Amino acid sequence: QKEVEQNSGPLSVPEGAIASLNCTYSDRVSQSFFWYRQYSGKSPELIMSIYSNGDKEDGRFTAQLNKASQYVSLLIRDSQPSDSATYLCAVTVLFLSGGGADGLTFGKGTHLIIQP
Amino acid sequence: DAMVIQNPRYQVTQFGKPVTLSCSQTLNHNVMYWYQQKSSQAPKLLFHYYDKDFNNEADTPDNFQSRRPNTSFCFLDIRSPGLGDAAMYLCATSRDRLSKDHEQYFGPGTRLTVT
């Protein structure tokens, strides 16, 4: 059974600072990792995906993956009040045959608050 | 714009009264998913269709059924809603099975209230 763990927060960060969101997962076979942002009452919105160890940058967002430690993180630079939301970490497993996976396993999310 | 559409956005039903939620997509994606998200909880996968191939999660209650009459549409039927079924129901799609080449995108969701 795959499990994804996140600190529920709230995580409070001053505007303009770096927000660091963390996620651990239990299934060593997990291969694909995703970060979604979810505003209250809205559906999740894909921010970033990462598949290889190391860092992946997209604008103000950087995803970091360490498969040996079963750890994935999301950094948000120059945090803005509009970044205040719940951030969901999700993982999936690739079939051994090389095909893709069916569905995502989500963490409960970290509630991020950017203080003006 | 290509997108995932869910109707209705808000649905109120009575305890035990069947209800159907609708999802449509203009992305021509092969895979469609239904997730249930209760308040302050993680989205939980109920089932998905890979083209016409239906895949049910092992712990999805029998009370939940799904239909996919064509590529564009997928329906979630709740045969006898209970109070515990009140949640946001999220439809999602991906072009193919999830991988580094194929990601999953959500519709706006349907908020279901059971009275």
Side-chain angles (χ1 to χ4, degrees):
Chain A
Q1 180 72 22
K2 301 187 293 292
E3 290 188 359
V4 180
E5 298 290 338
Q6 296 181 257
N7 187 326
S8 61
L11 174 65
S12 186
V13 174
E15 183 176 357
I18 296 175
S20 178
L21 304 165
N22 304 316
C23 172
T24 58
Y25 58 95
S26 62
D27 190 339
R28 288 191 171 275
V29 189
S30 294
Q31 293 287 343
S32 303
F33 307 87
F34 305 85
W35 283 101
Y36 284 82
R37 177 175 63 198
Q38 187 172 29
Y39 293 112
S40 180
K42 304 295 185 182
S43 64
E45 173 192 7
L46 181 64
I47 296 177
M48 291 200 62
S49 57
I50 187 166
Y51 313 97
S52 303
N53 280 326
D55 295 359
K56 178 182 178 183
E57 186 174 321
D58 184 0
R60 295 188 296 113
F61 299 97
T62 299
Q64 300 174 317
L65 175 60
N66 183 326
K67 290 187 178 181
S69 299
Q70 296 178 236
Y71 176 92
V72 59
S73 65
L74 179 70
L75 302 178
I76 307 174
R77 290 182 299 281
D78 187 24
S79 297
Q80 302 297 311
S82 60
D83 295 326
S84 298
T86 295
Y87 288 80
L88 300 168
C89 173
V91 304
T92 192
V93 177
L94 296 181
F95 291 140
L96 294 177
S97 63
D102 297 329
L104 296 173
T105 298
F106 283 88
K108 291 185 177 181
T110 296
H111 182 44
L112 175 66
I113 299 172
I114 305 301
Q115 294 179 323
Chain B
D1 289 341
M3 56 195 307
V4 182
I5 302 165
Q6 290 189 246
N7 286 305
R9 297 291 309 278
Y10 301 90
Q11 175 74 58
V12 180
T13 191
Q14 293 178 335
F15 182 93
K17 184 176 181 180
V19 64
T20 295
L21 309 182
S22 171
C23 177
S24 63
Q25 52 120 349
T26 60
L27 300 161
N28 202 32
H29 282 180
N30 285 327
V31 193
M32 296 186 77
Y33 310 81
W34 281 103
Y35 288 84
Q36 178 194 62
Q37 187 178 25
K38 296 184 178 181
S39 180
S40 301
Q41 295 189 21
K44 179 181 179 299
L45 181 65
L46 296 174
F47 26 58
H48 75 278
Y49 274 93
Y50 183 84
D51 195 11
K52 296 180 181 180
D53 183 24
F54 177 71
N55 298 271
N56 198 33
E57 291 299 296
D59 55 355
T60 298
D62 292 340
N63 197 27
F64 292 87
Q65 304 286 323
S66 185
R67 296 170 283 135
R68 189 178 185 185
N70 53 54
T71 300
S72 300
F73 284 87
C74 194
F75 300 98
L76 170 61
D77 300 309
I78 308 176
R79 295 192 295 186
S80 182
L83 298 178
D85 295 328
M88 173 81 88
Y89 288 88
L90 298 162
C91 176
T93 72
S94 60
R95 181 167 298 281
D96 208 311
R97 286 195 166 97
L98 299 175
S99 69
K100 66 181 182 66
D101 298 315
H102 302 292
E103 296 167 335
Q104 184 176 102
Y105 299 93
F106 285 88
T110 294
R111 172 74 64 185
L112 178 67
T113 300
V114 182
T115 61

